[in-house]
Amino acid sequence: MSDTEVPVELGELLVGINRLARRTLRGSLSGPPLPAAQAELLRLVEANPGIRVSAAAAELRLAGNSVSTLVRQLTGLGLMAREPDPLDGRAAQLRVTPEAERRLRHWDDRRAALYREQWPWLTGQDRAALAAALPALRRLAARFHEESRTRVRR
């Protein structure tokens, strides 16, 4: 396989695996699944408690009004809280609620269990190859993250 074909197949495989994992996991949820945009915002706010809507929009590369809509939806579901910014009363800081933390942990735990269930089906050679690829995949993820931040600043 050529150097130009590997990145294309890697991207297709990662998307396909993620899609299949999400479909499988949705069947194990006790409540309705969150749309991807809501889940992504929750994860961002969980990692950055107190982030403002404008900063979240920049990080997610979404319009501010789109993030405001997501915040309203998540607040209505009891998954996000808006708190006044002590430095600027016109702005709000975002935080996830304990219920959101519980749902995110449940999802993460189920996802980890799903991958653990599939792991034994791979050969020892396959498991070793995937383990050896983890550092490269982390570097690729970091590169995508940095590239995304650089494009936002331009």
Side-chain angles (χ1 to χ4, degrees):
M1 189 173 288
S2 75
D3 264 4
T4 57
E5 294 169 323
V6 171
V8 172
E9 186 167 352
L10 174 64
E12 289 171 355
L13 282 170
L14 292 175
V15 166
I17 290 168
N18 194 39
R19 183 183 313 112
L20 289 168
R22 271 195 326 269
R23 285 181 187 159
T24 301
L25 292 172
R26 282 186 183 139
S28 71
L29 296 177
S30 57
L34 292 175
Q38 288 180 354
E40 190 175 10
L41 178 58
L42 282 176
R43 294 231 181 249
L44 176 66
V45 173
E46 181 183 42
N48 301 278
I51 192 170
R52 290 181 176 187
V53 170
S54 59
E59 182 70 26
L60 297 174
R61 299 182 71 190
L62 294 171
N65 62 342
S66 296
V67 173
S68 292
T69 298
L70 291 170
V71 169
R72 272 193 305 280
Q73 293 166 348
L74 290 166
T75 301
L77 293 170
L79 300 174
M80 186 168 290
R82 292 175 57 104
E83 301 171 351
D85 185 329
L87 302 176
D88 181 355
R90 299 167 296 166
Q93 295 180 326
L94 305 175
R95 299 197 189 284
V96 296
T97 65
E99 174 61 16
E101 290 174 348
R102 186 196 66 72
R103 285 185 70 172
L104 291 172
R105 290 300 72 73
H106 177 71
W107 180 269
D108 292 345
D109 291 347
R110 284 294 306 132
R111 184 182 58 220
L114 177 65
Y115 279 91
R116 280 193 298 273
E117 290 166 11
Q118 298 306 313
W119 195 248
W121 290 94
L122 298 172
T123 66
Q125 186 177 3
D126 287 343
R127 290 191 302 264
L130 287 171
L134 290 176
L137 289 169
R138 282 188 203 105
R139 286 189 297 275
L140 181 61
R143 175 70 183 131
F144 274 122
H145 185 71
E146 185 56 37
E147 179 76 11
S148 174
R149 286 176 169 244
T150 302
R151 286 185 181 167
V152 169
R153 287 188 214 129
R154 289 182 192 166

